[in-house]
Amino acid sequence: LNCPYCYEKNKPFRMMDEKTCDAVISFIRNHTESKYLALTWYGGEPLLGADIIDYFLSKTKELKDIRLTSHSMVTNGTLFKESNLELFKKYPLNSVQITLDGLEETHDKRRIRHDGSGTFSTIVENIGKFAEHCPDTSISIRVNIDKDNAHEFMGVYGQMKRLFPQKKN
């Protein structure tokens, strides 16, 4: 995306690689007192690295004495394509946090693609897809609030409750 407020804008695009994943798995394995593992995928947009997430999660199966007790993700919600939905059927998330920047008009001025188009309708559609494919995952909608859109929070809340009445959170 090309959000005007992004703090990642001037940073080079980098993704964790398999060598780093293997080193992290080795680090975890070498901490023999560890019994539980909690993972949260975040930063920029984690689903840009869905293949490496899949690789890492497959490696966690090698950790025989360590149990994955918490598996979550913070995402902008734009990349819930079929392969990513299947990934989280294979490795279920306990929770996912999806962010919005206000009601559609405000959101689409802030959360924009490189071609200038907005993302609100894509994200809302993807929340529905995710809820259908991963019904046991807790979904939280976080609304980024500032002085210019704070008045929209209850509108976003109401819209999400109407669109997704089956989801308690």
Side-chain angles (χ1 to χ4, degrees), residues 11 18 20 23 29 31 44 53 67 73 91 100 119 126 130 132 139 145 154 159 163:
K11 293 182 179 182
E18 290 182 5
T20 303
R29 185 181 295 115
H31 283 77
I53 290 172
R67 195 177 68 167
M73 180 174 53
Y91 302 107
L100 294 172
T119 58
N126 286 345
F130 186 86
E132 183 179 317
I139 300 172
I145 297 290
M154 290 309 295
Q159 184 177 15
L163 290 171

Side-chain angles (χ1 to χ4, degrees), residues 34-166:
S34 298
K35 302 293 178 221
Y36 307 104
L37 178 63
L39 291 174
T40 301
W41 304 104
Y42 70 97
E45 173 48 48
L47 289 175
L48 289 170
D51 290 342
I52 204 71
I53 290 172
D54 190 15
Y55 178 81
F56 186 86
L57 290 169
S58 73
K59 292 298 203 174
T60 64
K61 299 292 186 194
E62 298 172 7
L63 302 170
K64 299 295 181 205
D65 296 327
I66 299 175
R67 195 177 68 167
L68 181 61
T69 57
S70 174
H71 186 208
S72 62
M73 180 174 53
V74 179
T75 175
N76 63 34
T78 60
L79 296 177
F80 281 125
K81 57 187 178 184
E82 191 65 32
S83 60
N84 293 340
L85 294 171
E86 290 302 316
L87 173 64
F88 295 115
K89 272 186 165 178
K90 183 175 166 184
Y91 302 107
L93 292 162
N94 299 95
S95 64
V96 63
Q97 181 184 96
I98 301 168
T99 55
L100 294 172
D101 285 358
L103 292 168
E104 186 168 10
E105 183 179 352
T106 300
H107 175 95
D108 281 348
K109 289 178 184 170
R110 297 174 176 209
R111 189 83 63 84
I112 55 176
R113 294 181 177 94
H114 286 277
D115 67 5
S117 63
T119 58
F120 188 89
S121 61
T122 299
I123 294 167
V124 170
E125 181 180 323
N126 286 345
I127 292 169
K129 284 185 203 175
F130 186 86
E132 183 179 317
H133 277 77
C134 303
D136 295 329
T137 300
S138 173
I139 300 172
S140 298
I141 307 298
R142 186 185 81 218
V143 183
N144 295 321
I145 297 290
D146 61 32
K147 64 180 176 57
D148 296 322
N149 72 346
H151 65 282
E152 295 183 9
F153 174 78
M154 290 309 295
V156 174
Y157 175 80
Q159 184 177 15
M160 295 301 110
K161 291 299 274 184
R162 281 189 305 280
L163 290 171
F164 307 107
Q166 75 282 10

